[in-house]
Amino acid sequence: MEITVKELLEVGAYFGHQSRQFDPRIRPYLYGKRQGIYIIDISKTCEKVYQAAEVLQKFAQENNPILFVGTKKQASDIIKQVAEKTGQPYVNYRWIGGTLTNFNNIQKRIERLEKIEEMETSGQINYYTKKEAMLIQKEKEELLKKFNGIRHLKRLPGILVIVDVKKEINAVNEAKKVGVPIVGIVDTNGNPEIVDYPIPANDDGFKSIQLILEKLAEAILEVQAQKKIVEEKNTAITEELQEKGDDNVANTGNNQEAS
């Protein structure tokens, strides 16, 4: 994974908010202020993207789930895309209270979703009245919106990747309560101190969000590709040893018959 200052410049990752929307704790990551708008020091953005990428690679190496979170309009689609590309869970509709702090109860809601889908597949839903079936279908659609991105998350994630830590403060608070670290894109109106690995950047521009998330996804994919190569080599070695073992057994049997 590589990211350059030039790339960050091209997508406007340096644009912050107007001075009236400012969190002083972001000051160490600022370059200055132009025409009432704070400018982010993207050399530090670049540095922090590399740091976050390295951390995410460690979690990917250990098969620890990486939960992508971003529910604002500019982030929703790209959150889903990068999560699906890397095979990771995501939340892009809205953060449901208790997603981390009441994980077992969330799992029950996902079980309900799967039960409805099973009813549809088996035809059991046809035994309900038309009105009842419509209500069940409506329930399913709502459950899909809320939980489709985390339906295969069977344990707490190892780490969160959050777009706009100010908007997603509920996710931040839950992660801190259960001890899950956070990589967070933080704009000039946000507090970088509430996340473990802040990435100072424009969190309102689609292209800025897209570039950073795609670079993080690229880092995860690199590890996954390396792991796949190792697994394939190990499988090949195992199969080769098994074949040699079978040949040795056959040769031993032939020698015994000849004697």
Side-chain angles (χ1 to χ4, degrees), residues 15 90 101 128 134 153 155 172 199 246:
F15 278 121
Y90 65 90
T101 55
Y128 289 84
M134 285 178 64
L153 184 64
R155 58 190 171 105
V172 171
I199 299 175
D246 292 342

Side-chain angles (χ1 to χ4, degrees), residues 149-168:
I150 59 169
R151 64 186 304 172
H152 302 301
L153 184 64
K154 302 304 180 186
R155 58 190 171 105
L156 284 175
I159 191 167
L160 267 63
V161 177
I162 296 179
V163 175
D164 192 342
V165 297
K166 186 170 184 178
K167 177 174 176 55
E168 309 298 346

Side-chain angles (χ1 to χ4, degrees), residues 143-208:
L143 289 170
L144 278 171
K145 281 182 184 177
K146 293 178 180 177
F147 304 117
N148 193 46
I150 59 169
R151 64 186 304 172
H152 302 301
L153 184 64
K154 302 304 180 186
R155 58 190 171 105
L156 284 175
I159 191 167
L160 267 63
V161 177
I162 296 179
V163 175
D164 192 342
V165 297
K166 186 170 184 178
K167 177 174 176 55
E168 309 298 346
I169 190 63
N170 292 333
V172 171
N173 289 339
E174 286 197 32
K176 292 174 82 67
K177 280 183 182 178
V178 298
V180 174
I182 303 167
V183 169
I185 300 179
V186 188
D187 210 325
T188 59
N189 65 338
N191 175 12
E193 296 175 4
I194 62 175
V195 297
D196 304 88
Y197 307 99
I199 299 175
N202 176 358
D203 65 12
D204 292 310
F206 172 77
K207 289 184 178 180
S208 173

Side-chain angles (χ1 to χ4, degrees), residues 200-242:
N202 176 358
D203 65 12
D204 292 310
F206 172 77
K207 289 184 178 180
S208 173
I209 296 168
Q210 182 181 40
L211 175 66
I212 293 170
L213 289 183
E214 285 186 346
K215 293 298 182 179
L216 296 179
E218 191 177 314
I220 295 168
L221 289 170
E222 285 173 4
V223 170
Q224 292 174 341
Q226 291 167 3
K227 288 184 69 177
K228 187 176 180 181
I229 290 171
V230 171
E231 288 169 3
E232 288 174 350
K233 284 184 178 178
N234 289 339
T235 299
I237 291 170
T238 301
E239 290 175 352
E240 185 179 347
L241 290 173
Q242 287 176 343

Side-chain angles (χ1 to χ4, degrees), residues 96-162:
I96 304 300
T99 295
L100 301 181
T101 55
N102 197 2
F103 190 71
N104 290 336
N105 195 47
I106 295 296
Q107 289 299 299
K108 289 177 183 177
R109 300 305 299 144
I110 293 171
E111 287 172 8
R112 172 59 180 166
L113 168 61
E114 292 173 346
K115 176 66 177 175
I116 294 173
E117 290 177 336
E118 186 182 319
M119 287 164 57
E120 291 177 328
T121 302
S122 66
Q124 184 183 348
I125 197 156
N126 296 326
Y127 292 101
Y128 289 84
T129 65
K130 188 174 181 180
K131 183 178 180 180
E132 288 172 333
M134 285 178 64
L135 289 173
I136 292 172
Q137 182 65 30
K138 187 175 181 180
E139 180 187 2
K140 174 195 166 186
E141 290 171 1
E142 191 64 24
L143 289 170
L144 278 171
K145 281 182 184 177
K146 293 178 180 177
F147 304 117
N148 193 46
I150 59 169
R151 64 186 304 172
H152 302 301
L153 184 64
K154 302 304 180 186
R155 58 190 171 105
L156 284 175
I159 191 167
L160 267 63
V161 177
I162 296 179

